[in-house]
Amino acid sequence: MGLFCSNAGHFGFQSKILLSNLNSFTHFIHNKEQLYFANYDFKNQIEQFKVKNNNPLDFPKQLFIEVEKTILLNNLDFENIESTQKPIQIKPTVSKDDYIKKVNTLKQHIQQGDIYEINYCITFEAHDVYIDPLAIYQKLNSISKAPYSALVKFDKQYIISSSPELFLKKQGEKLITKPIKGTAKRGATPEQDIEIKQELYNNHKERNENVMIVDVARNDLSRLAKKGSVSVEKLCDIETYEQVHQMVSTVTCELKDNTSFDDIIHGTFPMASMTGAPKIRAMELIDEYEVYNRGPYSGALGYIEKNGDFDLSVLIRSIFYDEEKQYLSFTVGSAITSMCNAEDEYEECLLKAKAMMEVLSN
């Protein structure tokens, strides 16, 4: 198993390679540096959901892997990379017409007061394929330069991630989460970028989506927090990445005494931005309307220090590959609210898929 992380010196993962041939565990290991992974479907062990299990990917539900060796790296250079990777035919599991029908059906749930917001996603997949995971990872991150980029190998299964989103960061007794809701494409010039960022910041629909998810995140953290310590440090801040601008909020709290790692995960997982409001009902509808159970997509990945501090990303903008099954997929989605337009949401999904489609197709 190896975890490769880029962009040292920026917010996000440190630039490390974590190596281990040690056994994995399904529980937290005290006083050990370790890799952590949680499949989205680990939610079924936190809440009582009707189990759906049709995803061709069969990743572990939760893993803790003790780190055997750590190699610290300087900034990784992904320029001028050569690869013999052949183009791959990627197909969506949902047609545009079916996507629009499902979004409009979900909007009916919203109009009926069943939910207020839901993160609805579509999967793109390829069968009978062979890829070079390291080459794909390098190509993806030469395009995205994501703060939570990672390449992870679990035997024959790979996670190739260019995630921009922080799920949880623990520093001492402080817990931080940074939900993303609100996306706009990059401009062709710096002047266009400034204009687009301002339009995103002022967009009532996008701000409304972000604020609703911030409320879910605040509620999640309140289960773990000392009284009165939950704080929204940044609301609807705009962060810029290689492909897109994102609306990001920062929610923090001071943890109650003796709060364990399991307490934190059980109180907050899955990430608020990847579910909806109310959270439990949104997750039920996600299972009902999405083609596959999500598997590793929108789960969590990161590393835990010996002192118990940790950084965990949300597994979005990520390619998942099973070498033995010769199958890969990636999933993208957006927030569905009463104000959304199904055509626009579909275009947002394609924008988020752009970098992954490019590295696999070219």
Side-chain angles (χ1 to χ4, degrees), residues 88-94 123-127 328-330 357:
I88 294 169
Q89 185 74 27
I90 306 295
K91 295 183 179 180
T93 55
V94 177
T123 296
F124 294 76
E125 64 182 357
H127 295 264
L328 70 79
S329 70
F330 62 84
M357 193 72 78

Side-chain angles (χ1 to χ4, degrees), residues 148-328:
Y148 299 100
S149 63
L151 170 63
V152 179
K153 180 180 187 293
F154 300 135
D155 194 16
K156 299 292 186 179
Q157 298 172 319
Y158 293 84
I159 299 170
I160 306 165
S161 181
S162 60
S163 176
E165 188 167 17
L166 174 70
F167 171 35
L168 291 171
K169 182 180 184 71
K170 180 178 177 290
Q171 293 177 308
E173 297 309 307
K174 185 175 184 178
L175 191 65
I176 304 164
T177 188
K178 294 183 65 175
I180 293 177
K181 270 287 169 278
T183 304
K185 64 181 180 180
R186 290 292 303 271
T189 65
E191 292 76 19
Q192 287 182 359
D193 262 343
I194 292 171
E195 184 177 342
I196 290 169
K197 287 170 67 176
Q198 194 61 45
E199 287 176 356
L200 177 59
Y201 182 78
N202 293 326
N203 187 302
H204 178 65
K205 169 188 169 292
E206 304 285 8
R207 293 182 70 88
N208 187 51
E209 292 174 3
N210 195 288
V211 168
M212 280 196 280
I213 291 304
V214 166
D215 282 344
V216 176
R218 289 173 60 209
N219 182 67
D220 286 349
L221 263 58
S222 69
R223 303 175 186 178
L224 310 163
K226 290 181 178 178
K227 188 175 181 180
S229 72
V230 177
S231 172
V232 180
E233 294 190 356
K234 291 183 180 179
L235 183 64
C236 300
D237 194 30
I238 306 300
E239 294 183 359
T240 297
Y241 302 91
E242 294 293 309
Q243 301 281 316
V244 294
H245 302 292
Q246 302 272 202
M247 185 178 286
V248 186
S249 293
T250 303
V251 186
T252 69
C253 76
E254 292 295 321
L255 292 167
K256 295 175 184 176
D257 294 341
N258 302 316
T259 301
S260 68
F261 182 86
D262 285 346
D263 292 336
I264 294 169
I265 295 300
H266 282 241
T268 59
F269 189 83
M271 175 62 159
S273 60
M274 301 310 299
T275 55
K279 191 173 185 179
I280 298 299
R281 182 57 180 143
M283 287 192 283
E284 291 173 345
L285 291 173
I286 286 168
D287 283 344
E288 181 178 345
Y289 284 94
E290 292 183 8
V291 172
Y292 295 136
N293 59 294
R294 285 189 176 175
Y297 172 71
S298 70
L301 175 69
Y303 61 92
I304 306 169
E305 303 287 359
K306 287 183 179 180
N307 66 0
D309 287 352
F310 55 80
D311 282 277
L312 305 179
S313 71
V314 185
L315 281 171
I316 59 173
R317 320 287 162 85
S318 300
I319 298 166
F320 305 100
Y321 174 55
D322 190 308
E323 185 178 25
E324 191 168 46
K325 294 181 179 179
Q326 295 185 317
Y327 173 84
L328 70 79

Side-chain angles (χ1 to χ4, degrees), residues 22 26-27 38 71 115-116 122 130 171 212 248-249 253 284:
L22 302 176
T26 57
H27 58 274
I71 303 172
I115 50 171
Y116 306 105
I122 53 175
Y130 172 78
Q171 293 177 308
M212 280 196 280
V248 186
S249 293
C253 76
E284 291 173 345

Side-chain angles (χ1 to χ4, degrees), residues 7-231:
N7 292 349
H10 300 273
F11 64 97
F13 288 153
Q14 297 177 26
S15 188
K16 290 182 177 182
I17 301 177
L18 305 179
L19 301 172
S20 180
N21 287 311
L22 302 176
N23 292 331
S24 60
F25 298 87
T26 57
H27 58 274
F28 177 75
I29 317 163
H30 290 279
N31 302 315
K32 298 287 186 181
E33 185 180 13
Q34 56 206 285
L35 169 69
Y36 177 72
F37 165 74
N39 188 315
Y40 173 83
D41 299 313
F42 180 65
K43 68 179 176 58
N44 299 335
Q45 297 180 35
I46 299 173
E47 301 285 350
Q48 296 299 313
F49 292 103
K50 183 179 178 181
V51 176
K52 179 178 180 179
N53 191 28
N54 65 340
N55 194 317
L57 294 170
D58 188 23
F59 276 59
K61 295 297 184 288
Q62 182 181 235
L63 280 181
F64 298 84
I65 302 176
E66 183 181 346
V67 174
E68 194 171 11
K69 185 176 182 180
T70 300
I71 303 172
L72 295 177
L73 303 172
N74 295 322
N75 283 323
L76 304 182
D77 183 6
F78 296 125
E79 301 299 327
N80 303 315
I81 294 165
E82 295 183 4
S83 173
T84 58
Q85 178 68 53
K86 295 180 180 179
I88 294 169
Q89 185 74 27
I90 306 295
K91 295 183 179 180
T93 55
V94 177
S95 69
K96 182 177 179 180
D97 286 345
D98 285 344
Y99 174 87
I100 290 171
K101 288 176 184 176
K102 286 190 175 184
V103 167
N104 288 331
T105 301
L106 288 168
K107 287 180 70 175
Q108 291 177 12
H109 282 278
I110 294 169
Q111 291 159 4
Q112 294 163 5
D114 199 13
I115 50 171
Y116 306 105
E117 179 175 352
I118 186 169
N119 178 253
Y120 172 61
C121 301
I122 53 175
T123 296
F124 294 76
E125 64 182 357
H127 295 264
D128 302 318
V129 294
Y130 172 78
I131 66 169
D132 179 346
L134 179 57
I136 295 294
Y137 169 71
Q138 290 173 323
K139 288 171 64 180
L140 183 59
N141 282 284
S142 70
I143 295 172
S144 299
K145 296 182 174 66
Y148 299 100
S149 63
L151 170 63
V152 179
K153 180 180 187 293
F154 300 135
D155 194 16
K156 299 292 186 179
Q157 298 172 319
Y158 293 84
I159 299 170
I160 306 165
S161 181
S162 60
S163 176
E165 188 167 17
L166 174 70
F167 171 35
L168 291 171
K169 182 180 184 71
K170 180 178 177 290
Q171 293 177 308
E173 297 309 307
K174 185 175 184 178
L175 191 65
I176 304 164
T177 188
K178 294 183 65 175
I180 293 177
K181 270 287 169 278
T183 304
K185 64 181 180 180
R186 290 292 303 271
T189 65
E191 292 76 19
Q192 287 182 359
D193 262 343
I194 292 171
E195 184 177 342
I196 290 169
K197 287 170 67 176
Q198 194 61 45
E199 287 176 356
L200 177 59
Y201 182 78
N202 293 326
N203 187 302
H204 178 65
K205 169 188 169 292
E206 304 285 8
R207 293 182 70 88
N208 187 51
E209 292 174 3
N210 195 288
V211 168
M212 280 196 280
I213 291 304
V214 166
D215 282 344
V216 176
R218 289 173 60 209
N219 182 67
D220 286 349
L221 263 58
S222 69
R223 303 175 186 178
L224 310 163
K226 290 181 178 178
K227 188 175 181 180
S229 72
V230 177
S231 172

